[in-house]
């Protein structure tokens, strides 16, 4: 018998719940609206949004033009002065109210993220849980973190689609807790429905938040360079990040630009292969569609046979399929390594990068195949991409210097520790790296030569939560660092220097 979509995540039922909980985000024809000038309005030019899970249309993004977005920015700026003077206890109480409302709808938001961005059931809930738990940590300790610091004003947020709650919504709520008003752009590739629900709850709690959709090219001038914007928080690709950094260079405003880099894992004189296997499997969460995914393994040549055996076994244990399917209506949702990548275009681009690597001389190591039993017989699979791996990736390959943002690994073999360091630094800076070695002293010494903000010793490093700071080295990050107390400092003014990766200085925290 073919599988069925689990009744507990049927999209039509989830959308009905959204309409019951937050009817204000729809117009009378059921179209999604933007949140500007303190209310939901402006359906803009609707643009169909297709789910990566099976190609169905989930709704239409309400795409705004630049002039309407300008209205949104001006109103958001007008809210900054009053909100900034609001007593901290009142701000904290209203953010707490918002968290309480979000907690009431964790189940719904987690399930929406399955359809919107292809997360598995488990990872959808992880995203919203990390948002709520992380902001709660700030609510509980904000007084000490703020001290005498004052709000910066209006903070603009442009973030990628992969973590709409634990990255974008989390940042927004901390920014308003610090006394700022906020405007955010919905990621065009996914997350606008769950974000609309979350922003409706935030506005209902009395928070000065604005949410707009629109083409990046048209809204960029308004959300980035406009003089009403006092600070920009950006999470996305290196190409767009560089353009934004260039644009901000002439207007002198606060910014945090998190960009991609090739995060590498170096292996030298190592023997704990069972631990590495666990790390490899965990590293495939969400199909490596994360800014902190490890996609390049730099392996001592004599260690390659053991590495290959470990890697091969892990790769063949991964299950990739439709995250909504079950055999029977009352079954639990499947425990998959990951589902689709974000859309069919991304799957095509991953295939293009892989073919380019082969054409330029790389050796294919693994070409995973999709398991028919994990899909409906006739469903759209255009956004699915099974894991692949390459060895001997030549420098002329586009993938050599590029983060694939998907399940393609490259493995580089080296004979000297100097080669290992050179290959780990291939992208001129990264967010995270790791070194595995039985000689911990050697690993720690080598880690000092790796240009990554965080380097794990025999363990993975990630973005981190709560007090853990986050940033990047080289081209992977520009502007103020965030995380822990640094996130508060990044969106406030005070008499202490802001730590970050700036054009004229690199100011690092003591223990990144």
């Amino acid at each position: 018998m073919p599988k069925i979509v689990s009744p507990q995540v049927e999209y039509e039922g989830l959308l009905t719940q959204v309409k019951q909980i937050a009817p204000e985000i729809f117009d009378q024809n059921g179209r999604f609206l933007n949140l500007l000038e303190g209310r939901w309005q402006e359906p803009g030019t609707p643009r169909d949004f297709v789910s990566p899970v099976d190609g169905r249309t989930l709704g239409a993004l309400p795409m705004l033009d630049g002039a309407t977005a300008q209205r949104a920015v001006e109103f958001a700026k007008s809210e900054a002065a009053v909100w900034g003077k609001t007593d901290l206890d009142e701000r904290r109480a209203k953010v707490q109210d918002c968290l309480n409302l979000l907690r009431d709808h964790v189940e719904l938001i987690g399930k929406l993220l399955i359809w919107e961005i292809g997360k598995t059931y488990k990872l959808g809930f992880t995203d919203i849980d990390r948002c709520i738990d992380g902001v709660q940590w700030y609510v509980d300790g904000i007084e000490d973190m703020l001290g005498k610091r004052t709000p910066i004003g209006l903070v603009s947020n442009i973030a990628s689609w992969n973590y709409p709650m634990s990255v974008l919504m989390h940042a927004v709520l901390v920014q308003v807790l610090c006394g700022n008003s906020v405007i955010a752009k919905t990621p065009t590739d996914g997350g606008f429905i769950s974000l609309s629900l979350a922003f409706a709850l935030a506005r209902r709690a009395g928070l000065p938040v604005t949410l707009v959709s629109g083409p990046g090219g048209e809204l960029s001038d308004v959300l980035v360079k406009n003089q009403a914007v006092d600070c920009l928080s950006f999470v996305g690709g290196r190409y767009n990040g560089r353009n934004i950094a260039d644009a901000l260079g002439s207007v002198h405003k606060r910014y945090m630009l998190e960009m991609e880099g090739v995060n590498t894992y170096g292996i030298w004189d190592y023997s704990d292969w069972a631990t590495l296997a666990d790390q490899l499997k965990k590293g495939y969460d969400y199909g490596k569609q994360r800014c902190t995914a490890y996609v390049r393994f730099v392996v001592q040549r004599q260690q390659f046979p053991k590495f290959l055996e470990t890697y091969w076994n892990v790769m063949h244990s991964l299950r990739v399929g439709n995250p909504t399917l079950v055999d029977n209506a009352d079954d639990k949702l499947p425990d998959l390594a990951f589902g689709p990548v974000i859309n069919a275009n991304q799957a095509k681009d991953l295939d293009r990068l892989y073919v380019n690597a082969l054409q330029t001389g790389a050796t294919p190591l693994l070409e995973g195949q999709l398991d028919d039993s994990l899909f409906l017989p006739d469903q759209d699979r255009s956004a699915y991409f099974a894991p692949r791996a390459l060895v001997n990736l030549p420098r002329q390959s586009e993938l050599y210097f590029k983060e694939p943002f998907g399940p393609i690994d490259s493995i580089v073999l080296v004979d000297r520790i100097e080669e290992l360091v050179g290959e780990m630094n291939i992208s001129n800076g990264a967010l995270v790296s790791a070194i595995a070695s039985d000689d911990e002293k050697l690993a720690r010494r080598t880690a000092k030569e790796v240009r990554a903000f965080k380097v794990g010793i025999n363990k993975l490093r990630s973005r981190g939560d709560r007090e853990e700071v986050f940033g990047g080295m080289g081209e992977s990050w520009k502007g103020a660092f965030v995380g822990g107390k640094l996130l508060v400092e990044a969106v406030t003014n005070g008499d202490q220097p802001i730590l970050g990766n700036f054009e004229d200085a690199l100011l690092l925290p003591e223990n990144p």
Side-chain angles (χ1 to χ4, degrees):
M1 292 292 291
K3 292 183 181 291
I4 59 171
V5 174
S6 172
Q8 64 174 306
V9 296
E10 270 288 1
Y11 177 68
E12 290 73 15
L14 301 179
L15 184 62
T16 297
Q17 291 181 57
V18 174
K19 290 179 177 180
Q20 292 169 344
I21 295 163
E24 64 268 32
I25 70 178
F26 302 91
D27 69 7
Q28 59 185 6
N29 297 314
R31 295 181 300 179
F32 288 94
L33 298 169
N34 289 277
L35 173 58
L36 64 147
E37 299 172 325
R39 60 190 178 89
W40 293 88
Q41 56 176 312
E42 300 290 354
T45 302
R47 175 177 142 181
D48 282 353
F49 178 74
V50 173
S51 172
V53 171
D54 61 5
R56 72 176 68 192
T57 299
L58 300 182
L61 276 156
M63 306 290 274
L64 295 180
D65 57 25
T68 311
Q70 177 69 36
R71 280 171 40 206
V73 167
E74 290 171 356
F75 180 85
K77 176 67 172 182
S78 72
E79 291 192 296
V82 174
W83 181 251
K85 294 176 182 177
T86 302
D87 185 77
L88 176 58
D89 285 342
E90 183 178 344
R91 299 203 307 262
R92 182 160 43 193
K94 289 185 176 181
V95 173
Q96 185 66 63
D97 288 345
C98 178
L99 292 181
N100 294 342
L101 290 171
L102 286 172
R103 283 192 177 98
D104 291 339
H105 303 295
V106 162
E107 182 89 5
L108 175 57
I109 292 172
K111 290 174 180 177
L112 286 170
L113 292 175
I114 298 175
W115 291 106
E116 290 196 82
I117 58 176
K119 294 224 167 189
T120 62
Y121 184 72
K122 178 182 177 181
L123 290 182
F125 284 99
T126 298
D127 194 24
I128 179 61
D129 284 341
R130 285 180 60 190
C131 169
I132 293 170
D133 292 346
V135 177
Q136 186 67 63
W137 181 83
Y138 282 94
V139 169
D140 295 341
I142 188 61
E143 193 165 8
D144 289 340
M145 284 185 274
L146 264 181
K148 295 181 179 180
R149 299 186 68 85
T150 57
I152 199 168
L154 172 61
V155 183
S156 177
N157 291 265
I158 302 174
S160 57
W161 40 265
N162 52 349
Y163 290 94
M165 296 297 147
S166 61
V167 174
L168 178 53
M169 193 67 194
H170 177 279
V172 164
L173 293 178
V174 175
Q175 290 160 10
V176 297
L177 178 63
C178 291
N180 303 293
S181 62
V182 166
I183 185 168
K185 178 184 176 298
T186 58
T188 306
D189 286 325
F192 84 98
I193 300 172
S194 51
L195 280 169
S196 294
L197 174 58
F199 270 70
L201 299 176
R203 196 77 206 186
R204 198 174 292 174
L207 301 179
V209 296
T210 296
L211 183 68
V212 295
S213 294
E218 188 153 358
L219 267 57
S220 179
D221 283 353
V222 180
L223 298 178
V224 175
K225 293 184 283 187
N226 191 284
Q227 62 181 6
V229 174
D230 299 293
C231 177
L232 173 70
S233 176
F234 169 86
V235 180
R238 188 172 288 194
Y239 175 78
N240 289 334
R242 281 173 173 165
N243 290 339
I244 288 173
D246 291 342
L248 291 175
S250 60
V251 294
H252 305 293
K253 66 179 67 179
R254 190 81 55 84
Y255 57 87
M256 303 85 79
L257 310 181
E258 176 186 331
M259 297 174 284
E260 62 194 18
V262 178
N263 303 314
T264 56
Y265 198 126
I267 298 172
W268 190 271
D269 288 342
Y270 183 69
S271 63
D272 190 1
W273 300 106
T275 295
L276 181 67
D278 290 340
Q279 293 176 8
L280 289 171
K281 189 167 186 177
K282 181 174 176 56
Y284 263 90
D285 279 357
Y286 200 31
K288 299 208 171 187
Q289 295 179 108
R290 310 185 315 281
C291 63
T292 54
Y294 292 79
V295 296
R296 178 75 47 84
F297 295 90
V298 184
V299 183
Q300 185 181 15
R301 192 178 304 275
Q302 68 190 52
Q303 299 251 276
F304 184 56
K306 275 292 187 182
F307 172 84
L308 180 57
E309 179 184 356
T310 303
Y311 185 86
W312 189 263
N313 290 336
V314 169
M315 293 303 103
H316 282 81
S317 73
L318 300 178
R319 300 172 72 238
V320 181
N322 184 326
T324 71
L325 300 184
V326 292
D327 293 315
N328 302 291
D330 55 354
D331 287 351
K332 292 181 178 179
L333 285 160
D335 183 17
L336 302 172
F338 59 94
V341 295
I342 188 59
N343 53 41
N345 288 335
Q346 176 66 4
K348 288 178 182 177
D349 194 56
L350 288 168
D351 193 59
R352 181 189 65 79
L353 287 170
Y354 183 76
V355 170
N356 171 263
L358 296 182
Q359 291 173 339
T360 51
T363 301
L365 186 69
L366 173 80
E367 291 186 354
Q369 302 295 316
L370 297 175
D371 183 345
D372 290 346
S373 70
L374 299 177
F375 299 88
L376 292 175
D378 56 352
Q379 78 156 83
D380 185 322
R381 296 192 199 179
S382 59
Y384 290 83
F385 190 91
R388 298 182 191 179
L390 300 150
V391 69
N392 296 330
L393 187 67
R395 284 178 174 259
Q396 60 264 39
S397 299
E398 185 179 347
L399 195 58
Y400 193 86
F401 297 96
K402 184 173 183 177
E403 157 68 65
F405 224 66
I408 300 179
D409 287 337
S410 56
I411 299 155
V412 178
L413 305 183
V414 295
D415 298 295
R416 302 191 313 275
I417 199 74
E418 295 85 359
E419 284 184 274
L420 180 131
V421 171
E423 292 292 347
M424 291 186 72
N425 287 335
I426 201 64
S427 69
N428 187 25
L431 303 173
V432 295
S433 288
I435 296 176
S437 178
D438 294 342
D439 186 343
E440 190 169 319
K441 185 176 180 181
L442 177 142
R444 293 193 180 281
R445 185 171 67 247
T446 305
K448 295 178 180 178
E449 301 178 44
V450 175
R451 296 200 72 207
F453 187 75
K454 298 179 181 180
V455 182
I457 306 299
N458 295 319
K459 65 180 181 180
L460 304 176
R461 296 300 301 273
S462 65
R463 200 175 208 280
D465 294 305
R466 303 181 183 184
E467 69 274 6
E468 191 170 350
V469 301
F470 189 59
M473 301 287 280
E475 294 297 310
S476 66
W477 190 283
K478 298 295 181 185
F481 296 143
V482 298
K485 188 178 180 181
L486 294 191
L487 176 52
V488 171
E489 294 176 357
V491 295
T492 55
N493 292 317
D495 54 11
Q496 296 294 318
I498 299 295
L499 301 183
N501 186 11
F502 303 104
E503 189 171 344
D504 56 353
L506 173 61
L507 302 175
L508 288 168
E510 289 185 9
N511 295 301

